[in-house]
Amino acid sequence: NAGVMQNPRHLVRRRGQEARLRCSPMKGHSHVYWYRQLPEEGLKFMVYLQKENIIDESGMPKERFSAEFPKEGPSILRIQQVVRGDSAAYFCASSPQEDLNTEAFFGQGTRLTVV
Amino acid sequence: GENVEQHPSTLSVQEGDSAVIKCTYSDSASNYFPWYKQELGKRPQLIIDIRSNVGEKKDQRIAVTLNKTAKHFSLHITETQPEDSAVYFCAASWTGGSYIPTFGRGTSLIVHP
């Protein structure tokens, strides 16, 4: 099992461009969480998805940010018209469907830098 | 939703000493409390967890205690080693909503050789 895979590991975007971050959960996991980590800060919840469904997006900014987890393929976190304040590490975590209240396995993260 | 407070934000100890990190949570419905260790530039990884039907759990040099009445839980590391240096996050997962793990702000532990 390759674990939670995120790509790219590092992403540089100019202000106004779009950023697409990908997350492939562990095999057999159908629940995906996205977190944002700013320097010297903790992990801030953004969105929780199951296959083809957004379960909770209460932590995601209303504008410019969107997420999806299609039936086939990875989960995508999309940031449109990026600004400097979007620079952060974005972590994806997954957990199995059978036991929701259990360990969330994290990917290596995508470090987004907006220049 | 859940709110998790974590203290201290920075903890510096000498090798061999013990380290204690404390967290409080707000939602009494929370029943799963994991602790993650994040080394510089790496992913957070689970080191120990505890569920609400247990008051204490131990794994070698690491132990976690839970006080449901007071809504706080703590991580204890004994005989610290330089490789324990990392950022530690506590989390609480609540059953009132979507089982989303809510994390504390993290504690940067520095173990001096």
Side-chain angles (χ1 to χ4, degrees), chain B residues 22 28 61 68-69 76 89 112:
Chain B
K22 298 182 179 182
S28 56
R61 296 186 298 108
K68 282 211 72 180
T69 303
H76 304 253
F89 293 98
H112 299 281

Side-chain angles (χ1 to χ4, degrees), chain A residues 13-17 64-65 79-87 90 112-115:
Chain A
R13 285 286 178 266
R14 296 186 184 281
R15 280 178 294 170
Q17 291 185 319
R64 303 188 298 108
F65 285 73
I79 311 173
Q80 295 178 293
Q81 299 172 350
V82 296
V83 300
R84 288 240 169 93
D86 296 332
S87 295
Y90 292 83
L112 172 65
T113 302
V114 179
V115 297

Side-chain angles (χ1 to χ4, degrees), chain A residues 11-61:
Chain A
L11 182 62
V12 179
R13 285 286 178 266
R14 296 186 184 281
R15 280 178 294 170
Q17 291 185 319
E18 178 180 288
R20 280 184 178 239
L21 288 62
R22 294 175 187 78
C23 169
S24 296
M26 285 182 71
K27 188 177 180 181
H29 287 193
S30 57
H31 296 253
V32 167
Y33 309 87
W34 283 94
Y35 288 85
R36 176 163 64 178
Q37 185 175 38
L38 290 165
E40 309 301 320
E41 291 193 16
L43 294 155
K44 298 289 187 184
F45 166 74
M46 298 182 73
V47 61
Y48 166 38
L49 310 104
Q50 296 176 19
K51 284 284 187 181
E52 301 184 277
N53 282 310
I54 296 175
I55 306 303
D56 189 319
E57 57 183 348
S58 59
M60 201 152 67

